[in-house]
């Protein structure tokens, strides 16, 4: 820190890292420091001691008190994040700003980075149900919703100006992408009327937006704007705060005296209205408060603005006449109230020459400000508008330090100016009218022939004379609009289709009076008197009793899903209609009912707590003599999801129906939505049921993922399903005491299945990866053993190797060799569901499982008996095909099918070529389970369409 204008500095250790400093506008020793962690510190002794003010503060949304508006000069306005994640607008004094003392200035949460404090106004916004509302507070009074045209439906709103008790805003409406519409408010900043449509905008990094509109400093009411229509950008100027707009008049000749041949209406002057990225150089247009009428900017002549054409033009009479001064863009600096104009070329090459003019750009001189060329980084002038001293700073090379070059123009002027050195000029618009903003204004400037310093005592304003009011002093009121495109071709205002001028205002109270609009209002800051008064026929009416309208009930925090026992805060709002004489009947859906008076006026919330899960219909009915309105909201009271498990068959046949089942805890939650992702598909399937029936058309591994969403909680589980063309199934059973310790949960079933698979693989020498044991839900405890083809096995429907594996597995099970220890001395024995059962053959393609039982007598084929039994398929979990002791097998599928559907069961032949009698187990077995040779037989399988209606006939044929 330095207290001697930078002659010396003192170091002061601090305990935090400063990102931004905000100095008090009046008291130089008071400063606020913002850190990257969102903490806010304050010092009242220029940084020697620091005190923590607040945490979780939004950067760039910290404001000191505004003098003349805020009562306490040490008040700080800030936007903070509350513990729930929302954002709030608070104020506090720097002497006492703990968590308990800040004052919440706006009820409810606000949008992040929306707080703006500017002059007499405070702005913020809130978003709910994808609709954004903008609020304004005038001179620290209550916040009121800003009234834009009903169907503007803004996507974005930018504050342009708050000068002279009026707000200019740029609004991007629902149909716009790279343009904004310019609106002007009443003095309170509440009601807005359109001034200019389709002002060009440019998106900047970090979501910043630049809008091509510039307030000309030095002359109040003058603005420049770039309008973009059908891709064509043109520059417009207004002298009466946007009431009328016109094109810029092109110069007759260029800087070399040659004719420009640019004549309206086909050709005009257009200017770039960009701000400079470098704060130490001017933008593309330069104006100054103490140099009224002097505007210098970069642009081009033509029918539209050309993006990379940046010739320099100047006007000294506020835009009436223009002159070209350079062919390329220059950085501009005004010295001595504009008496000296300094220009340095905007280029990436090093320079040592600057240009300057003392006659408002009529002639230019050059000056070598350094002997060695430098890359210019910026221009600075000493404090004070009267200064004639400037500094050019830059660097000689990219590796060198900054070079600062001081340029003093004082020796060039022999004396200070006297009254004889000045002349006057009158402000007029492009039509030559001297009455602008209700007055005739004259300014003085130094004569071209005078070579003197204006000095500190110079004032530019000379005289002003009030004019009589004319039509041009009035613009359209809220709800009205002129029909002409540039609003200068027509003076008549028409009511928009959605606006009824005779309707009472929304805040009209019974017994009070209101005035209906004539469609016109005087331009703010216009000082005209007498003459035309377009507001003189205002009609006064008494406020009637208005029925409530636009009644709304919402929950604080915007979430309609809450937990049992959680505090719920209901907020009731009413945008239109009488409030004082209206009763509000509230029903919270669980038996609580109440009647309120003045509920929406007091803003008092309704707090409640639901103890039991369920869906509750909450309603509020507002009623008075004139009518009624009702609002309803449904509240879901749910316990958060605690667990989600996806149950699915780990192995399935291609094109066979499979049931994916999601098990959630707690059971039966209300309105749980399930999202199902199959494979790499990015589009999920949504269900309200906890199961999904589907098919897999391709073989291989498929990932199945399910998400369960209930209220504010969401869980996910994922499983891999292997899809095969062929595999075999054996049904297993366990000793009964296993049921005593079956908790019927997925993890337990998976562990039991892994144990059985591991034991079978070890006992039979079959690779473990080709065996999968699936324990079924429910009691008694049963399982299916899935026997898969080895990875290198040819894809045939049946093989000798498969038969040997089945025989080995049966031998191990029938020999009671598969058992495992459970607990408390219990051993669990695993056996076949029936010792005489053969394996079930699973083949892909038909969508149904065929069960084939072969009865072999001796070594000769006596016949083939094939019994098919079809059952109606039921929704629910998969029930796997089981082998039974009877001579029939049945398959229960999880999907309903019409009884009229014809189903064709595909057949196959079992090949007995190259029979190998080698066994996989420890002994040879026969199909009956006794020792002997294992043989295979050729079995004819007859194909026949089968339906439920033909079942009896089919069985008779067999």
């Amino acid at each position: 820190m330095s207290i001697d204008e930078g002659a010396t500095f003192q170091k002061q250790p601090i305990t935090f890292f400063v990102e931004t400093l905000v100095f008090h506008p009046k008291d130089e020793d008071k400063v606020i420091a913002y850190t990257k962690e969102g903490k806010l510190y304050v010092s009242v002794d220029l940084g020697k001691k620091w005190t923590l003010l607040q945490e979780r503060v939004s950067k760039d949304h910290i404001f000191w008190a505004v003098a003349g508006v805020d009562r306490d000069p040490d008040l700080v306005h800030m936007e903070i994040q509350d513990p729930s994640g929302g954002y709030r607008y608070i104020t506090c004094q720097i002497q006492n700003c703990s968590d308990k003392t800040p004052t919440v200035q706006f009820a409810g949460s606000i949008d992040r980075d929306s707080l703006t404090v500017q002059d007499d106004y405070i702005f913020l916004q809130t978003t709910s149900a994808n609709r954004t509302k903008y609020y304004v507070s005038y001179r620290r009074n209550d916040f009121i919703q800003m009234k834009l045209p009903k169907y503007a439906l803004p996507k974005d709103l930018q504050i342009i100006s708050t000068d002279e008790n009026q707000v200019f805003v740029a609004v991007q409406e629902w149909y716009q992408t790279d343009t904004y519409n310019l609106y002007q408010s009443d003095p309170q900043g509440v009601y807005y009327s359109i001034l200019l449509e389709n002002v060009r905008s440019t998106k900047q990094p970090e979501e910043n937006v630049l809008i091509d509109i510039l307030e000309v400093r030095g002359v109040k009411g003058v603005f420049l704007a770039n309008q973009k229509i059908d891709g064509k950008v043109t520059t417009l100027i207004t002298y009466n705060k946007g009431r009328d707009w016109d094109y810029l008049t092109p110069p007759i000749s260029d800087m070399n005296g040659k004719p420009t041949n640019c004549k309206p209406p086909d050709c005009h002057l257009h200017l770039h209205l960009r701000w400079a990225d470098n704060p130490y150089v001017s933008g593309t247009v330069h104006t100054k408060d103490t140099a009224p009428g002097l505007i210098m900017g970069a642009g081009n002549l033509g029918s539209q603005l050309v993006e990379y054409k940046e010739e320099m033009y100047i006007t000294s009479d506020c835009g009436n006449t223009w002159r070209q001064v350079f062919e390329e863009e220059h950085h501009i600096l005004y010295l001595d109230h504009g008496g000296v104009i300094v220009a340095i070329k905007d280029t990436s090459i090093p320079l040592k020459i600057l240009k300057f003019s003392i006659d408002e750009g009529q002639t230019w001189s050059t000056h070598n400000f350094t002997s060695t060329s430098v890359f210019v980084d910026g221009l600075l002038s000493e404090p004070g508008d009267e200064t004639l001293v400037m500094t050019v700073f830059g660097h000689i090379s990219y590796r060198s330090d900054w070079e600062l070059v001081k340029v003093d123009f004082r020796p060039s002027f022999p004396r200070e100016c006297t009254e004889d050195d000045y002349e006057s000029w009158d402000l007029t618009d492009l039509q030559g009218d001297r009455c602008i903003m209700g007055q005739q204004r004259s300014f003085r400037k130094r004569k071209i022939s005078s070579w003197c310093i204006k000095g500190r005592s110079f004032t530019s304003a000379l005289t002003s004379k009030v004019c009589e009011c004319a039509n041009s002093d009035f613009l359209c009121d809220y709800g009205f609009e002129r029909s002409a495109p540039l609003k200068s071709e027509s003076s008549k205002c028409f009511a928009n289709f959605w606006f009824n001028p005779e309707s009472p205002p929304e805040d009209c109270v019974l017994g009070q009076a209101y005035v209906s609009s004539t469609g016109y209002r005087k331009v703010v800051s216009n000082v005209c008197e007498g003459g035309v008064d377009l507001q003189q026929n205002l009609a006064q009416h008494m406020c009637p009793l208005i029925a409530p309208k636009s009644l709304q009930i919402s929950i604080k925090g915007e979430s309609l899903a809450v937990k049992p026992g959680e505090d719920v805060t209901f907020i009731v709002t009413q945008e239109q209609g009488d409030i004082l004489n209206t009763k509000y009947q509230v029903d919270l859906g669980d038996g609580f009912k109440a009647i309120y008076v003045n509920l929406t006026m007091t803003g008092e919330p309704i707090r409640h707590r639901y103890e039991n899960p369920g869906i509750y219909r909450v309603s509020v009915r507002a009623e008075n003599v004139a009518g009624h309105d009702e609002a309803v909201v449904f509240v879901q009271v749910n316990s958060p999801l605690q667990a989600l498990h996806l149950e699915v068959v780990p192995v399935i046949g291609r094109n066979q129906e499979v049931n994916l089942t999601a098990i959630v805890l707690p059971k039966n939650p209300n309105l749980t939505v399930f999202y199902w992702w199959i494979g790499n598909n990015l589009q999920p399937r949504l269900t309200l049921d906890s199961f999904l029936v589907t098919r897999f058309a391709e073989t291989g591994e498929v990932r199945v993922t399910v998400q369960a969403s209930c209220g504010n909680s969401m869980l996910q589980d994922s499983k891999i399903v292997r899809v095969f063309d062929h595999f075999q199934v054996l049904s297993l059973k366990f000793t009964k005491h296993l049921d005593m310790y079956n908790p019927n949960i997925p993890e337990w079933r998976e562990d039991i299945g892994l144990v059985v698979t591991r034991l079978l693989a070890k006992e039979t020498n079959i690779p473990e990866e080709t065996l999968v044991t699936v324990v079924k839900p429910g009691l008694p405890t049963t399982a299916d053993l899935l026997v898969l083809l080895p990875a290198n096995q040819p894809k045939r429907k049946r093989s000798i190797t498969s038969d040997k594996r089945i025989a080995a597995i049966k031998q191990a099970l029938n020999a009671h060799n598969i058992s495992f220890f459970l607990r408390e001395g219990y051993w669990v024995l695993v056996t076949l569901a029936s010792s005489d059962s053969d394996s079930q053959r699973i083949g892909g393609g038909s969508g149904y499982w065929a069960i084939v039982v072969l009865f072999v007598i001796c070594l000769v084929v006596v016949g083939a008996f094939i019994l098919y039994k079809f059952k109606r398929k039921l929704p629910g979990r998969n029930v796997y095909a089981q082998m039974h002791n009877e001579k029939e097998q049945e398959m229960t599928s999880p999907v309903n099918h019409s009884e009229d559907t014809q189903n064709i069961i595909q057949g196959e032949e079992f090949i007995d070529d190259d029979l190998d009698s080698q066994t996989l187990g420890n002994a040879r077995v026969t199909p009956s389970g006794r020792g002997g040779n294992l043989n295979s037989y050729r079995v004819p399988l007859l194909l026949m369409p089968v339906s439920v209606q033909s079942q009896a006939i089919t069985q008779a044929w067999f």
Side-chain angles (χ1 to χ4, degrees):
M1 67 192 69
S2 174
I3 59 175
D4 53 11
E5 298 182 350
T8 59
F9 283 86
Q10 295 83 41
K11 291 183 179 180
Q12 179 66 42
I14 57 177
T15 59
F16 53 90
F17 292 93
V18 177
E19 183 174 359
T20 304
L21 291 176
V22 183
F23 288 89
H24 194 283
K26 298 293 183 181
D27 192 338
E28 60 187 14
D29 289 336
K30 296 176 181 176
V31 58
I32 289 175
Y34 177 83
T35 72
K36 289 185 178 180
E37 296 78 20
K39 295 182 179 180
L40 201 64
Y41 294 85
V42 65
S43 173
V44 296
D45 54 7
L46 198 60
K48 295 179 180 178
K49 296 180 180 179
W50 293 91
T51 304
L52 178 64
L53 285 183
Q54 277 291 321
E55 300 185 32
R56 303 186 304 273
V57 180
S58 297
K59 182 184 177 183
D60 298 329
H61 295 275
I62 310 154
F63 308 90
W64 282 104
V66 177
V69 183
D70 290 297
R71 296 180 180 178
D72 187 350
D74 291 336
L75 193 71
V76 180
H77 305 263
M78 67 185 79
E79 177 184 296
I80 67 169
Q81 185 178 20
D82 58 30
S84 64
Y87 290 83
R88 293 187 175 275
Y89 161 43
I90 67 168
T91 60
C92 66
Q93 297 176 328
I94 60 174
Q95 297 86 355
N96 189 8
C97 195
S98 64
D99 292 337
K100 298 180 180 178
T101 56
T103 303
V104 178
Q105 299 290 352
F106 181 80
S109 297
I110 66 174
D111 290 354
R112 181 180 181 179
D113 297 334
S114 69
L115 176 67
T116 300
V117 179
Q118 199 165 310
D119 298 325
D120 291 345
Y121 306 92
I122 300 176
F123 305 93
L124 53 82
Q125 70 186 50
T126 64
T127 301
S128 176
N130 207 27
R131 293 288 294 271
T132 300
K133 295 181 179 180
Y134 300 89
Y135 292 87
V136 62
S137 168
Y138 175 64
R139 297 194 66 84
R140 310 307 184 254
N141 291 312
D142 292 340
F143 280 92
I144 301 175
Q145 185 177 346
M146 298 164 65
K147 304 297 182 183
L148 294 164
K150 185 174 182 179
Y151 294 106
L153 306 178
K155 296 192 294 185
D156 186 37
L157 185 147
Q158 300 287 331
I159 308 298
I160 302 299
S161 171
T162 54
D163 292 342
E164 298 184 306
N165 296 323
Q166 190 174 40
V167 181
F168 280 81
V169 297
V171 177
Q172 187 172 58
E173 302 190 22
W174 61 272
Y175 59 89
Q176 295 175 305
T177 55
D178 57 356
T179 59
Y180 281 66
N181 292 341
L182 183 64
Y183 287 87
Q184 182 188 58
S185 78
D186 61 350
Q188 288 73 34
V190 176
Y191 292 95
Y192 289 81
S193 301
I194 193 164
L195 297 179
L196 184 65
E197 295 180 282
N198 298 314
V199 180
R200 186 177 71 165
S201 65
T202 306
K203 204 87 170 184
Q204 296 292 309
E206 298 182 358
E207 298 300 318
N208 292 326
V209 177
L210 295 182
I211 301 171
D212 279 18
I213 184 165
L214 177 75
E215 184 175 8
V216 176
R217 299 165 62 184
V219 182
K220 296 295 185 182
V222 182
F223 289 82
L224 292 169
N226 280 336
Q227 188 179 49
K228 184 177 182 180
I229 298 179
D230 297 330
K232 183 178 178 180
V233 180
T234 55
T235 302
L236 304 173
I237 189 171
T238 178
Y239 292 87
N240 52 9
K241 282 197 168 183
R243 197 272 186 191
D244 302 297
W245 296 85
D246 211 337
Y247 296 101
L248 295 179
T249 304
I252 298 175
S253 58
D254 62 14
M255 60 180 294
N256 299 316
K258 297 180 180 180
T260 59
N261 297 320
C262 180
K263 297 180 180 180
D266 299 322
C267 183
H268 297 94
L269 171 62
H270 309 283
L271 299 177
H272 297 282
L273 303 179
R274 295 193 306 266
W275 295 97
D277 295 331
N278 183 352
Y280 301 110
V281 297
S282 63
T284 54
V285 174
H286 192 56
T287 65
K288 196 169 186 179
D289 288 326
T290 57
L294 195 60
I295 308 172
M296 196 166 179
N300 64 272
L301 302 179
S303 61
Q304 61 180 316
L305 182 66
V306 179
E307 197 60 38
Y308 296 103
K309 197 170 184 181
E310 298 175 334
E311 304 160 347
M312 295 298 295
Y313 294 87
I314 191 172
T315 176
S316 57
D317 55 8
C318 205
N320 276 268
T321 58
W322 292 84
R323 303 184 304 276
Q324 183 186 5
V325 290
F326 304 120
E327 291 181 340
E328 296 175 295
E329 184 180 0
H330 283 62
H331 299 308
I332 304 301
L333 190 66
Y334 292 165
L335 302 175
D336 191 27
H337 307 279
V340 177
I341 305 174
V342 180
I344 293 184
K345 188 176 179 181
D346 181 14
T347 180
S348 59
I349 63 175
L351 301 171
K352 59 181 177 180
I353 296 176
L354 61 77
K355 305 170 187 176
F356 69 95
S357 172
I358 62 170
D359 54 8
E360 298 176 340
Q362 302 253 3
T363 59
W364 292 86
S365 303
T366 60
H367 172 67
N368 282 8
F369 63 89
T370 179
S371 59
T372 305
S373 298
V374 299
F375 295 94
V376 176
D377 293 319
L379 308 177
L380 289 175
S381 63
E382 288 191 357
D385 296 316
E386 76 285 352
T387 183
L388 281 166
V389 181
M390 63 169 291
T391 301
V392 180
F393 67 94
H395 53 279
I396 297 176
S397 68
Y398 288 107
R399 295 183 178 180
S400 66
D401 295 332
W402 266 359
E403 299 285 335
L404 279 77
V405 181
K406 182 178 180 180
V407 182
D408 190 349
F409 289 93
R410 288 177 295 183
S412 302
F413 296 92
R415 61 184 178 84
E416 289 196 3
C417 297
T418 64
E419 288 298 325
D420 294 335
D421 294 311
Y422 297 107
E423 62 183 359
S424 65
W425 67 276
D426 298 328
L427 177 65
T428 64
D429 60 17
L430 298 187
Q431 284 72 40
D433 189 358
R434 288 195 59 198
C435 285
I436 298 175
M437 296 297 290
Q439 59 181 329
Q440 295 180 358
R441 284 176 284 179
S442 295
F443 300 89
R444 65 175 182 170
K445 62 180 180 179
R446 189 177 60 196
K447 295 178 181 179
I448 300 298
S449 59
S450 295
W451 192 274
C452 57
I453 300 174
K454 294 182 180 181
R456 182 174 298 181
S457 61
F458 172 77
T459 57
S460 58
L462 186 61
T463 62
S464 64
K465 179 183 177 181
V466 175
C467 300
E468 285 189 349
C469 295
N471 288 346
S472 59
D473 296 312
F474 296 85
L475 53 76
C476 294
D477 202 356
Y478 172 77
F480 292 82
E481 192 172 336
R482 281 187 284 167
S483 58
L486 290 181
K487 308 296 185 278
S488 60
E489 305 169 14
S490 173
S491 296
K492 190 172 183 180
C493 297
F494 298 90
N496 283 292
F497 71 93
W498 49 266
F499 183 73
N500 182 4
E502 302 300 325
S503 297
E506 297 175 359
D507 56 353
C508 201
V509 179
L510 182 66
Q512 295 182 355
Y514 72 96
V515 177
S516 59
S517 175
T518 62
Y520 303 89
R521 71 182 183 206
K522 196 174 181 180
V523 177
V524 176
S525 302
N526 190 300
V527 296
C528 71
E529 297 177 356
V532 176
D533 185 3
L534 299 182
Q535 295 177 294
Q536 64 181 353
N537 296 322
L538 294 176
Q540 193 173 55
H541 309 277
M542 297 302 296
C543 289
L545 180 64
I546 305 175
K549 190 177 180 181
S550 299
L551 185 69
Q552 294 180 346
I553 182 170
S554 60
I555 295 180
K556 183 179 179 181
E558 305 298 333
S559 176
L560 298 177
V562 298
K563 304 174 185 177
E566 181 180 353
D567 289 331
V568 183
T569 301
F570 295 99
I571 300 174
V572 180
T573 58
Q574 178 182 312
E575 295 184 2
Q576 301 178 31
D578 184 87
I579 296 175
L580 294 176
N581 303 280
T582 301
K583 293 183 179 181
Y584 300 86
Q585 302 177 28
V586 177
D587 185 349
L588 299 185
D590 63 347
F592 176 88
K593 298 180 180 180
I595 297 177
Y596 296 85
V597 180
N598 301 335
L599 178 62
T600 58
M601 185 177 68
T602 60
E604 181 180 354
I606 302 173
R607 294 180 173 85
H608 193 65
R609 181 179 297 173
Y610 294 95
E611 300 297 338
N612 300 316
I615 300 177
Y616 298 89
R617 182 183 185 273
V618 179
S619 65
V620 56
R621 178 184 174 91
E623 186 173 11
N624 58 31
V625 176
H628 69 274
D629 194 13
E630 186 176 14
V632 175
V633 64
F634 290 89
V635 180
Q636 298 182 32
V637 181
N638 293 309
S639 299
L641 296 178
Q642 300 174 3
L644 169 66
H645 183 83
L646 174 62
E647 283 203 341
V648 60
V649 184
V651 175
I652 191 66
R654 181 172 59 87
N655 284 329
Q656 291 179 346
E657 290 177 338
V658 59
N659 191 323
L660 314 176
T661 302
I663 302 175
V664 294
L665 293 177
K667 295 182 178 180
N668 301 320
N670 297 300
L671 293 180
T672 300
V673 179
F674 296 90
Y675 301 81
W676 307 86
W677 279 273
I678 309 297
N680 296 323
N681 191 354
L682 297 179
Q683 185 66 34
R685 296 171 64 178
L686 272 64
T687 67
L688 290 178
D689 295 320
S690 60
F691 65 88
L692 175 70
V693 179
T694 187
R695 298 171 184 263
F696 302 106
E698 302 292 335
T699 59
E701 291 188 350
V702 181
R703 176 171 292 278
V704 178
T705 303
V706 62
Q707 286 183 341
S709 175
C710 181
N712 295 325
S713 61
M714 176 176 284
L715 298 178
Q716 174 178 309
D717 193 16
S718 183
K719 293 289 175 63
I720 295 293
V721 177
R722 291 189 286 174
V723 183
F724 290 90
D725 274 324
H726 315 286
F727 60 91
Q728 292 174 292
V729 181
L730 285 173
S731 295
L732 307 178
K733 66 179 180 179
F734 305 89
T735 47
K736 291 185 177 180
H737 54 259
L738 180 62
D739 294 344
M740 299 169 52
Y741 299 97
N742 184 350
N744 198 26
I745 61 174
E747 293 84 357
W748 184 89
R749 292 193 289 270
E750 290 179 1
D751 286 342
I752 295 296
L754 291 174
V755 169
V756 174
T757 298
R758 187 167 60 249
L759 292 173
L760 281 170
K762 183 178 180 181
E763 179 70 19
T764 61
N765 295 324
I766 299 175
E768 187 174 339
E769 59 270 16
T770 64
L771 301 177
V772 179
T773 304
V774 180
V775 180
K776 303 177 185 178
L779 296 175
T781 307
T782 58
D784 280 339
L785 176 63
L786 312 181
V787 184
L788 312 179
L789 289 174
N792 57 355
Q793 181 76 19
K795 293 185 178 180
R796 297 183 300 177
K797 294 223 171 176
R798 190 160 177 117
S799 68
I800 304 305
T801 305
S802 297
D803 287 340
K804 293 177 180 179
R805 291 187 300 159
I806 296 297
I809 293 171
K810 289 182 177 180
Q811 179 186 10
L813 293 171
N814 291 334
H816 295 173
N817 292 337
I818 308 301
S819 63
F820 58 90
F821 179 75
L822 183 62
R823 59 182 296 182
E824 298 179 357
Y826 284 114
W827 284 79
V828 177
L829 181 66
V830 185
T831 60
L832 288 170
S834 175
S835 61
D836 293 330
S837 296
D838 281 318
S839 65
Q840 177 190 346
R841 185 80 173 87
I842 303 299
S846 68
Y848 297 88
W849 292 356
I851 292 82
V852 182
V853 182
L854 308 180
F855 294 90
V856 183
I857 302 177
C858 298
L859 300 176
V860 181
V861 176
V862 178
F865 295 86
I866 305 175
L867 178 62
Y868 298 86
K869 182 174 181 182
F870 295 86
K871 291 186 66 175
R872 178 182 294 272
K873 299 188 176 184
L874 303 175
R877 299 193 179 95
N878 274 318
V879 180
Y880 306 110
Q882 301 181 22
M883 302 301 299
H884 296 284
N885 195 27
E886 295 79 14
K887 296 301 183 284
E888 69 175 20
Q889 296 80 32
E890 69 178 71
M891 171 63 199
T892 303
S893 177
V895 179
N896 287 323
H897 290 275
S898 170
E899 293 181 350
D900 298 329
T901 304
Q902 296 288 334
N903 303 295
I904 300 177
I905 307 302
Q906 296 179 348
E908 60 180 285
E909 288 188 357
F910 298 133
I911 308 301
D912 60 349
D913 297 341
D914 302 326
L915 179 61
D916 186 356
S917 60
Q918 180 182 357
T919 61
L920 293 176
N922 297 325
R924 299 170 184 257
V925 295
T926 64
S928 63
R930 296 184 294 272
N933 291 328
L934 177 66
N935 299 295
S936 68
Y937 305 92
R938 184 186 302 276
V939 180
L941 176 64
L942 302 181
L943 304 181
M944 180 175 180
V946 179
S947 67
V948 175
Q949 289 88 341
S950 62
Q951 183 175 4
I953 300 175
T954 304
Q955 290 177 346
W957 180 85
F958 285 132

